[in-house]
Amino acid sequence: MSKIEEIIKICKQRGFIFQSAEIYGGLKGFYDFGHLGVLLKNKIKNLWLKEVVFKKDNIFLIESSLIGQRKIYEASGHIENFQDPLIECKNCHNRFRADHLLKGEYGEVKLKNNKPLCPFCSGELTEERNFNLMFKTYVGPVEELASEAYLRPETAQGIFYNFKNILNSMRTKLPFGIAQIGKSFRNEITPRNFIFRMREFEQMELEFFTHPNEAKKWYDFWLNERYNWYLKIGISKENIRKKIYKKDELAHYSDATVDIEYNFPWGFDEMEGIANRTNYDLSRHSHFSKEELVYFDEEKKEKIIPFVIEPSAGVERILLALLLEFYQEDEVNNEKRIFFKFPPFLSPIEAAILPLLSNKKELLNKSQEVYNILKEKFIVYYDDKGSIGRRYRRQDEIGTSFCLTIDFQTLKDDTLTIRDRDTTKQERIKIQEVENYLTEKLKF
Ligand code: ATP
């Protein structure tokens, strides 16, 4: 079994990630997240919020709606431009993204009369046609152009059309940023690679508004910040790189873009894009809404349409990168062990409490007491079922950094053992010291 297949298996078995609606045969490109998946996603989001929002000045949060009227996406350019080239096999009717097919991403492509053939059945392919990736719906009971609406393909537009609301309500000055975490939807032609390319996914986006003269400076700043964030959360340097876009490869709104890529099993691929979106979005929304979206510089008495620097990351792509980065196999007591070597601040379960198997009531009471104290502060898990070896193994497999064991000695001297996942070594410490111990170890 390949590493990614092992990971997919553990994710299902242990409750990180499930294929959505599996009992109905599943829906391609959609996944559901179990307890551990939600906890790990929350960790990623909190680490992003900490570095991008809370440790900075002048960055404000927003939560805008998922569904937006057609006008928004006419203004943003999505109706016109947000499309991928689609081709279909006339024989097996599989559909492909033409650019991905030509790069060999679906398998080897044979040519006939200089035209590519289906990588699955060598059948003839249709001509390319453009396919818009947005999900369309209608708001209200009448299906007509006026009620046409779209599930957002990125969280950014909700930030742009709220520009004035934030500027006025937060009474802020340039430069400032608006940040949003939330779901986005794209009707990808071929969702694949587990949670890498999905049709419903979560983004973490910052739109940072700056004076046009300072755009380059802030672009460099955010690129550096975001790159270092990945190193800080534990991704190794050899597994990430920056991909700089050439001018003719840029999206319609961008003046400069760099992707931060991870070394996925199929090669380096995008986790995050950092773009200089210029004043494209604010100008377009001003034009389409007839509302002036500008910043007034009191000192110079001039109106400015700010430039926007956008770091835009996908939560699930980072989640997949972390699962791949920290997946480990070793041997403990002559048995193969699989574990996720997450840094403690990323472990979905921060500490597991595993009482010694015993009928002794005092032992269970003590264990419950420790559990009740610690769950006030940490994400803890209580497990008193099965052999201690098997319980350790289960915690290792979900990446729990610390297992706390309560035994007979605990009843004598109020100490417990803490087992380190990576070394499997145990140390004995006083119960009163556990809180400080964990706080120290879980620091980011
Ligand atoms: P790709 O080229 O892989 O389709 P993109 O360049 O269209 O991605 P952006 O529009 O820059 O992606 O979106 C910002 C981020 O959102 C990406 O870096 C990625 O982490 C995430 N993202 C985009 N599309 C998907 C998807 N289909 N599934 C999961 N995450 C996605």
Side-chain angles (χ1 to χ4, degrees), residues 323-334:
L323 292 170
L324 287 160
E325 180 78 26
F326 295 115
Y327 176 89
Q328 302 269 323
E329 290 176 7
D330 67 0
E331 237 178 57
V332 174
N333 303 331
N334 298 325

Side-chain angles (χ1 to χ4, degrees), residues 82 97 154 186 188 195-199 201 203 205 245 253 259 269-273 312-317:
F82 197 56
R97 230 177 98 168
E154 60 182 21
R186 297 181 188 181
E188 297 278 357
I195 53 170
F196 180 84
R197 187 169 301 284
M198 300 194 291
R199 289 179 164 138
F201 55 95
Q203 288 185 310
E205 296 196 297
Y245 280 75
Y253 52 77
D259 284 348
D269 217 336
E270 175 177 345
M271 272 191 299
E272 170 157 359
S312 168
V315 180
E316 290 86 358
R317 287 192 185 176

Side-chain angles (χ1 to χ4, degrees), residues 284-442:
R284 294 274 296 192
H285 283 295
S286 285
H287 176 72
F288 278 74
S289 67
K290 311 272 182 283
E291 283 273 345
E292 204 177 35
L293 302 178
V294 294
Y295 174 83
F296 187 71
D297 188 325
E298 293 288 350
E299 274 166 37
K300 294 191 181 136
K301 303 284 176 231
E302 62 173 4
K303 281 183 190 169
I304 299 166
I305 310 176
F307 270 36
V308 177
I309 308 304
E310 175 197 71
S312 168
V315 180
E316 290 86 358
R317 287 192 185 176
I318 298 171
L319 171 61
L320 182 57
L322 293 174
L323 292 170
L324 287 160
E325 180 78 26
F326 295 115
Y327 176 89
Q328 302 269 323
E329 290 176 7
D330 67 0
E331 237 178 57
V332 174
N333 303 331
N334 298 325
E335 257 186 59
K336 179 178 157 186
R337 172 175 82 136
I338 288 176
F339 65 110
F340 285 107
K341 201 175 174 178
F342 296 129
F345 59 79
L346 266 180
S347 298
I349 302 290
E350 292 171 339
I353 296 171
L354 313 176
L356 199 73
L357 276 185
S358 157
N359 292 331
K360 207 166 177 180
K361 235 184 157 162
E362 290 111 288
L363 203 107
L364 289 180
N365 288 346
K366 194 77 195 166
S367 306
Q368 280 290 335
E369 194 186 305
V370 174
Y371 175 55
N372 287 334
I373 294 169
L374 292 181
K375 74 179 172 187
E376 291 284 335
K377 286 265 165 78
F378 308 101
I379 300 167
V380 277
Y381 183 78
Y382 186 90
D383 185 7
D384 60 1
K385 285 170 220 76
S387 79
I388 191 75
R390 219 170 291 141
R391 280 184 276 162
Y392 281 148
R393 222 37 69 78
R394 199 178 307 148
Q395 293 305 320
D396 289 344
E397 222 173 84
I398 62 172
T400 306
S401 297
F402 306 106
C403 287
L404 280 46
T405 313
I406 283 104
D407 55 16
F408 292 115
Q409 200 175 323
T410 312
L411 301 179
K412 286 188 209 142
D413 61 7
D414 250 6
T415 61
L416 49 69
T417 65
I418 297 194
R419 171 184 175 272
D420 181 282
R421 174 200 59 210
D422 303 339
T423 61
T424 73
K425 296 248 154 36
Q426 299 189 29
E427 59 177 312
R428 196 164 263 285
I429 66 169
K430 285 258 174 218
I431 288 177
Q432 302 100 285
E433 288 163 16
V434 174
E435 195 179 313
N436 282 345
Y437 179 97
L438 289 177
T439 306
E440 199 48 43
K441 294 275 186 189
L442 289 166

Side-chain angles (χ1 to χ4, degrees), residues 88-186:
E88 189 175 332
C89 174
K90 289 181 189 168
N91 182 43
C92 69
H93 298 288
N94 268 301
R95 290 174 164 190
F96 307 97
R97 230 177 98 168
D99 53 335
H100 287 178
L101 178 120
L102 293 176
K103 277 197 249 164
E105 291 187 16
Y106 303 100
E108 196 197 339
V109 179
K110 294 198 182 96
L111 298 177
K112 189 178 169 189
N113 301 330
N114 247 344
K115 285 192 168 172
L117 296 173
C118 174
F120 296 164
C121 74
S122 295
E124 208 181 308
L125 298 168
T126 60
E127 290 297 317
E128 263 181 54
R129 71 180 167 88
N130 281 331
F131 172 75
N132 196 298
L133 298 186
M134 282 195 297
F135 285 99
K136 183 160 74 172
T137 185
Y138 295 91
V139 174
V142 187
E143 293 192 6
E144 58 184 9
L145 193 65
S147 61
E148 203 174 289
Y150 292 85
L151 282 171
R152 66 182 183 193
E154 60 182 21
T155 71
Q157 298 309 319
I159 295 179
F160 297 129
Y161 65 67
N162 272 300
F163 172 79
K164 234 170 122 173
N165 284 334
I166 303 287
L167 184 63
N168 294 341
S169 59
M170 303 316 286
R171 303 166 61 240
T172 187
K173 286 195 167 144
L174 280 186
F176 72 96
I178 307 178
Q180 168 151 238
I181 298 181
K183 291 264 185 165
S184 291
F185 305 82
R186 297 181 188 181

